[in-house]
Amino acid sequence: MAIRAPQETPVLYDDFSKLTCRRENTVRDLLEQLRTSRVIIVRGTPASGKSILSRLLEVYARTSDPDLVIHRIVWSTPQSYYINHFRELNKLTGRAERDHDDWFHQNQRLLIIDEAQASYLFSDFWAELVKAVAQTQEGPMIALFASYGSPTTGPSDGGMTPMSFSRDQQVSARADERNSAGLKLYFSREEFDDVVSRYSTHTGQSGQPFLPEPELITYLLEYTNGYPGAVDAVLEVLANSKIIQPFRETSAQVSLHTALEVMDDDNDSFSRLRQTGVSQSLIPQRVVKDQVDIATFLRKLLLTDCSRDEPNSSQTLNDCYRRGWVQAESVPDEDGYDEIVYIFPSRLHRAWVETILRASSPKFPTDEFPSLRQLCAAAIRNFRYLPLGSQGERLGAGATIRPLEAQYQDEFYRACHETLGGHIYLTSEWSKAGREGRVDFHLNSKNWAIKCVREGDRLRSHGPEGIYHDWIQTGHIEDHILIDFRTTPVPENVGDVPFLVFAVFSDGFRSCKLFDSSGKLEDEFSLLE
């Protein structure tokens, strides 16, 4: 078994970058949960902070419990799957050679294993130690940090963990309310704010601090979902941008609108992101271009938010999962049992996939859809009533629950894809660089903007004198449309608003009528299932 032994000198807080959040509450709760459950697996894609968290756990455990004997190991491919685990563990931890396994008597030891996914085929280690400790609550505490591995028993090819874990023994991207400790791998809001503060202090040492406004800080948390590698990468890209430089030189705060001027330039921002640590979790563009099955799977994931396929039956999913391009999460099904779904690790990862799929789409079919209004009407005719009527929770990118009010935007995105021949043309959640406001979708090649609202929400603010009308007047967009999706009648006295369309659903979303701003019926149709 080839395992890299820990350094002779224990890791100390001084060994970490000043930019590294110490995550004191997380590692404290992780150690306490280890004392209760004895075995915990922490799962996340590359750049999700697993290795740093394993080192932080080691430091915290050493300082908080001097009597605890700690071993941190990075696991690589074993030379043999049939070596007795205890002999190798004794050698690696400096214990005397023994002919028998006495690890069950080592209750005051903590074994921290990074890259634990490489151990999945080492059956002796899992059957004789990990599973036994988890079931008997005897032996060392074992913290496993793995790039993949489902909470459920998986296939024999090593793609999944060789045993099942209870909810209290799992730590993943989000905090599962069914987990008593409420642990999660991604940053909490408090930890995220700490990282931003550290970054501002670090850049300030040169006399040119990066000082994001509160609105921008909140947006960055939502965009990265607290994914540690993404947080570091986005802060680095923004702080080193030429657009941000004048703000740093004058120690001025950076607004959300200024930051979006950098981030909404997909070619430049993603080119810079590929030069940061988060790049190891971003699928290469050439893979999407050359492997049709992977492109098809990712396109479907964009449209559905999560995949309920099983790696056992989908080699494409298995490949994407094991290579760190999607994250597995456990959610309750309709009967309350655990169901494993696969999602984009963060909104940033979703935006990256959308960008490269959009770049591979053919020229927009202008002859078929010469106007934005015609395209939107055709897309709404392709709506399906089952997704619109669903009241269940839906997990989206970054392991966040999609809000109920997003059902119209999600269905519009899916229907547009279907209407446009199965190609991605839309950019989600777009703003015109440096200008106030965001739209739900932007069609880049035509420079069309689409805003969706629900039951007239903020309808007045998007009216004739609204910000999107101003974008047209100043030439920043060619055309835009405001679609008010509703199950209630069209409001009166709206006025003549050429870019406004009402989509009114009835009969459990099985029927739809389209009206202009004056209430004149333009079309009516039944929705498919």
Side-chain angles (χ1 to χ4, degrees):
M1 176 174 61
I3 302 178
R4 298 198 295 273
Q7 299 176 345
E8 294 182 2
T9 304
V11 177
L12 303 173
Y13 280 127
D14 291 343
D15 297 325
F16 291 93
S17 163
K18 297 248 187 310
L19 297 176
T20 302
C21 175
R22 303 305 188 248
R23 308 195 69 176
E24 290 92 346
N25 292 338
T26 295
V27 292
R28 179 200 65 209
D29 293 345
L30 182 56
L31 183 58
E32 286 304 309
Q33 190 61 31
L34 273 166
R35 296 188 189 283
T36 301
S37 301
R38 305 306 293 179
V39 176
I40 284 181
I41 185 167
V42 181
R43 296 174 298 106
T45 58
S48 60
K50 300 183 305 298
S51 294
I52 289 181
L53 185 59
S54 74
R55 295 170 60 208
L56 289 170
L57 174 62
E58 178 188 0
V59 174
Y60 180 83
R62 289 189 187 280
T63 56
S64 64
D65 189 349
D67 295 329
L68 189 63
V69 181
I70 303 167
H71 313 284
R72 193 173 72 86
I73 295 169
V74 180
W75 199 302
S76 59
T77 304
Q79 296 172 352
S80 171
Y81 296 125
Y82 304 104
I83 298 174
N84 287 330
H85 69 275
F86 65 88
R87 296 185 186 278
E88 286 295 320
L89 289 178
N90 286 337
K91 182 171 64 175
L92 285 166
T93 56
R95 301 181 70 218
E97 286 291 331
R98 290 171 171 78
D99 293 328
H100 62 282
D101 184 1
D102 67 343
W103 277 90
F104 288 114
H105 303 292
Q106 307 302 318
N107 287 354
Q108 274 300 102
R109 290 183 186 266
L110 169 59
L111 188 57
I112 302 172
I113 302 177
D114 199 5
E115 302 298 342
Q117 72 279 356
S119 73
Y120 290 171
L121 290 179
F122 190 27
S123 57
D124 181 72
F125 170 72
W126 280 86
E128 300 298 326
L129 184 62
V130 180
K131 190 173 183 178
V133 170
Q135 291 178 343
T136 65
Q137 300 293 291
E138 292 291 331
M141 294 181 288
I142 304 175
L144 302 153
F145 292 81
S147 290
Y148 56 83
S150 167
T152 60
T153 302
S156 59
D157 67 351
M160 299 298 184
T161 49
M163 58 171 278
S164 296
F165 290 87
S166 70
R167 291 177 184 140
D168 286 344
Q169 292 175 324
Q170 305 170 35
V171 178
S172 194
R174 66 173 186 148
D176 191 332
E177 61 184 15
R178 300 168 296 169
N179 182 310
S180 60
L183 291 163
K184 68 175 183 176
L185 176 59
Y186 291 6
F187 288 141
S188 66
R189 176 62 197 246
E190 180 182 11
E191 292 167 341
F192 175 83
D193 288 343
D194 179 74
V195 173
V196 175
S197 176
R198 287 173 179 274
Y199 208 86
S200 296
T201 300
H202 174 73
T203 54
Q205 292 175 354
S206 64
Q208 298 183 358
F210 172 63
L211 303 172
E213 288 185 352
E215 184 183 17
L216 172 56
I217 293 174
T218 298
Y219 174 80
L220 293 179
L221 176 59
E222 294 172 351
Y223 182 63
T224 63
N225 299 110
Y227 185 98
V231 173
D232 293 340
V234 171
L235 289 174
E236 181 180 338
V237 168
L238 287 176
N240 293 314
S241 167
K242 292 181 179 179
I243 294 174
I244 304 296
Q245 191 58 37
F247 293 85
R248 293 185 58 185
E249 291 173 353
T250 58
S251 297
Q253 286 193 317
V254 179
S255 70
L256 171 60
H257 306 310
T258 301
L260 289 176
E261 190 173 350
V262 178
M263 298 173 66
D264 282 340
D265 184 346
D266 291 336
N267 292 331
D268 183 65
S269 62
F270 278 118
S271 174
R272 295 179 184 277
L273 283 170
R274 290 199 299 272
Q275 301 173 34
T276 68
V278 78
S279 63
Q280 59 185 308
S281 65
L282 298 176
I283 184 169
Q285 189 168 1
R286 57 176 173 74
V287 173
V288 179
K289 180 179 179 181
D290 297 341
Q291 300 187 35
V292 176
D293 55 340
I294 288 181
T296 300
F297 170 77
L298 293 174
R299 187 177 293 109
K300 180 181 177 182
L301 190 59
L302 275 178
L303 303 177
T304 59
D305 289 319
C306 67
S307 171
R308 287 178 163 80
D309 294 341
E310 295 184 1
N312 284 358
S313 56
S314 172
Q315 185 59 46
T316 303
L317 169 58
N318 197 23
D319 289 345
C320 289
Y321 183 41
R322 296 183 64 168
R323 297 170 77 174
W325 299 328
V326 294
Q327 167 77 13
E329 288 295 313
S330 173
V331 296
D333 62 16
E334 295 179 354
D335 299 318
Y337 295 103
D338 285 342
E339 179 185 15
I340 308 305
V341 298
Y342 298 86
I343 58 174
F344 290 111
S346 75
R347 280 178 55 192
L348 180 150
H349 292 82
R350 184 189 187 280
W352 165 242
V353 170
E354 184 181 68
T355 297
I356 57 180
L357 285 175
R358 189 174 61 245
S360 65
S361 294
K363 184 178 179 181
F364 180 80
T366 302
D367 291 344
E368 187 175 357
F369 304 106
S371 73
L372 174 58
R373 199 178 187 94
Q374 286 175 301
L375 170 64
C376 292
I380 297 173
R381 291 189 195 98
N382 280 324
F383 272 30
R384 298 181 181 275
Y385 68 79
L386 283 181
L388 294 176
S390 174
Q391 299 296 312
E393 289 186 346
R394 295 174 298 123
L395 206 62
T400 56
I401 301 297
R402 293 288 293 161
L404 185 61
E405 56 269 22
Q407 62 184 354
Y408 292 120
Q409 286 93 329
D410 293 346
E411 183 59 11
F412 184 87
Y413 188 80
R414 185 208 61 76
C416 256
H417 171 266
E418 179 180 326
T419 302
L420 293 169
H423 300 291
I424 300 293
Y425 290 96
L426 300 182
T427 298
S428 304
E429 299 182 55
W430 178 88
S431 72
K432 184 60 189 174
R435 303 187 67 81
E436 181 184 3
R438 292 184 73 78
V439 293
D440 293 295
F441 307 105
H442 180 251
L443 206 159
N444 297 31
S445 61
K446 305 297 291 185
N447 203 10
W448 291 342
I450 303 163
K451 182 68 178 178
C452 304
V453 298
R454 176 191 180 98
E455 303 293 347
D457 181 41
R458 293 171 294 166
L459 190 59
R460 297 292 180 184
S461 65
H462 301 303
E465 304 303 321
I467 54 176
Y468 311 120
H469 179 71
D470 176 63
W471 288 6
I472 288 185
Q473 296 300 310
T474 54
H476 287 93
I477 57 176
E478 293 298 324
D479 196 5
H480 77 303
I481 192 168
L482 174 62
I483 309 173
D484 181 7
F485 294 102
R486 50 199 307 135
T487 57
T488 56
V490 173
E492 298 179 355
N493 304 319
V494 174
D496 183 18
V497 185
F499 56 82
L500 174 62
V501 173
F502 292 103
V504 182
F505 298 95
S506 59
D507 190 25
F509 295 99
R510 288 174 169 80
S511 300
C512 181
K513 294 181 179 180
L514 300 181
F515 299 88
D516 66 12
S517 62
S518 67
K520 178 183 177 181
L521 179 66
E522 294 186 338
D523 197 4
E524 60 179 313
F525 45 88
S526 297
L527 271 60
L528 299 174
E529 183 176 312

